[in-house]
Amino acid sequence: MNDAEYMGLALQQAKAALLQDEVPVGAVVVKDEKVVAAAHNLSRQKNDPTAHAELLALKAAYRRLGSLEGCTLYVTLEPCAMCAGAMIWMKLPRLVFGAFDISCGCTGSRVDLTDHWFYHSVETWGGILEEECRELLSEFFQTKR
């Protein structure tokens, strides 16, 4: 599979979030071409503002593998500062995200915490299936206004 196909799996997670009235963000962690963890936002359901898709997926992968060496995180929305920090502390080697987040994105849009600011840098690629990822978010927020 390629980056777009793995992002498609993250989009499936985001759609599951949408069905649960969560902000539709989905994430998958891949190692050696195998999905080792998948999650979607659960902040509303858990009453926990830190229950972001990427944090849930990263923690599940870390528990399963003991390290994120050789892993790639695919997430439908550019990570925030909290999630970017987790990627640095967990030493994630590679991030691929869909939609850019110009208001809160911390892996390139607003700032880039993953690029040589700290002791670990994360190779980052954005804009993969960007339109599909952005449309899902737009659909969710239009129903809330």
Side-chain angles (χ1 to χ4, degrees), residues 66-98:
S67 138
L68 295 182
E69 184 178 336
C71 290
T72 299
L73 171 66
Y74 293 87
V75 63
T76 57
L77 179 65
E78 180 181 0
C80 68
M82 175 181 67
C83 295
M87 290 184 283
I88 293 164
W89 285 110
M90 291 180 170
K91 298 182 181 177
L92 179 75
R94 185 168 183 258
L95 163 70
V96 177
F97 67 86

Side-chain angles (χ1 to χ4, degrees), residues 3-4 6-8 10-11 14 23-27 54 73-80 87 95-111 124-139 141:
D3 286 344
Y6 287 121
M7 186 60 70
L11 266 168
V23 176
V25 176
E54 50 269 68
L73 171 66
Y74 293 87
V75 63
T76 57
L77 179 65
E78 180 181 0
C80 68
M87 290 184 283
L95 163 70
V96 177
F97 67 86
F100 287 85
D101 185 349
I102 57 170
S103 61
C104 297
C106 289
T107 60
S109 289
R110 206 68 167 136
V111 295
T124 302
W125 298 92
I128 307 301
L129 298 185
E130 181 175 11
E131 188 173 318
E132 294 92 326
C133 295
R134 188 183 1 254
E135 282 176 9
L136 200 58
L137 288 158
S138 293
E139 176 185 333
F141 287 112

Side-chain angles (χ1 to χ4, degrees), residues 10-56:
L11 266 168
Q12 288 176 10
Q13 288 292 317
K15 289 174 184 174
L18 184 65
L19 292 174
Q20 295 175 22
D21 200 32
E22 294 279 354
V23 176
V25 176
V28 296
V29 178
V30 175
K31 181 175 181 171
D32 300 328
E33 298 183 23
K34 292 184 181 109
V35 174
V36 295
H40 55 77
N41 274 3
L42 289 174
S43 295
R44 298 177 80 171
Q45 209 173 94
K46 290 184 176 243
N47 195 29
D48 178 358
T50 69
H52 289 194
E54 50 269 68
L55 271 186
L56 297 172

Side-chain angles (χ1 to χ4, degrees), residues 105-121:
C106 289
T107 60
S109 289
R110 206 68 167 136
V111 295
D112 190 351
L113 298 178
T114 60
D115 188 24
H116 307 291
W117 280 88
F118 301 100
Y119 69 95
H120 177 75
S121 294

